[in-house]
Amino acid sequence: MSKSNFEWDESKNIENQRKHGVSFNEAQFAFMDERRVIAEDLIHSKEENRYYCFGLNQDKTGILTVRFTYRSGCIRIFGAGYWRKGKKTYEQTNSI
């Protein structure tokens, strides 16, 4: 993974770690999962298209949900965590 492919606001990263126990650096691994699921975030997509990535974490022990958008050729991460709804979507899509 190259840092140039991902970006985020560092204050949001710190807040996300405090609230959800996941750094945005860790969240990047969900995108590397070959079976990841990308879904449009229809609720928060107002001024720009926003998406969810559901994919395995680095050690493949959990399914991360990552909220993101595309900006200037980069994936900009807004939030990440281990959420039941994301896990359910991942498992249903991959027949787990």
Side-chain angles (χ1 to χ4, degrees):
M1 277 175 291
S2 166
K3 175 68 172 117
S4 63
N5 294 331
F6 294 89
E7 65 180 21
W8 53 77
D9 178 283
E10 190 56 32
S11 63
K12 292 279 286 180
N13 180 33
I14 292 167
E15 179 183 348
N16 197 81
Q17 289 177 62
R18 183 182 56 77
K19 289 172 78 174
H20 304 294
V22 177
S23 74
F24 291 169
N25 191 53
E26 294 171 64
Q28 295 176 78
F29 285 96
F31 292 87
M32 303 306 125
D33 181 357
E34 292 180 4
R35 299 187 317 169
R36 72 187 172 276
V37 177
I38 304 294
E40 189 170 2
D41 179 352
L42 299 174
I43 295 171
H44 299 102
S45 294
K46 300 206 182 346
E47 296 167 10
E48 65 184 346
N49 293 334
R50 292 193 177 188
Y51 304 91
Y52 294 104
C53 175
F54 310 110
L56 292 171
N57 62 6
Q58 182 177 9
D59 57 4
K60 301 185 182 354
T61 59
I63 298 165
L64 283 164
T65 297
V66 183
R67 294 181 352 185
F68 72 99
T69 193
Y70 293 105
R71 285 190 191 161
S72 303
C74 288
I75 295 170
R76 182 166 182 87
I77 298 174
F78 296 114
Y82 293 97
W83 296 308
R84 287 185 302 267
K85 188 173 181 180
K87 182 177 188 236
K88 182 178 178 183
T89 299
Y90 182 89
E91 290 175 344
Q92 286 177 337
T93 301
N94 288 294
S95 300
I96 296 173

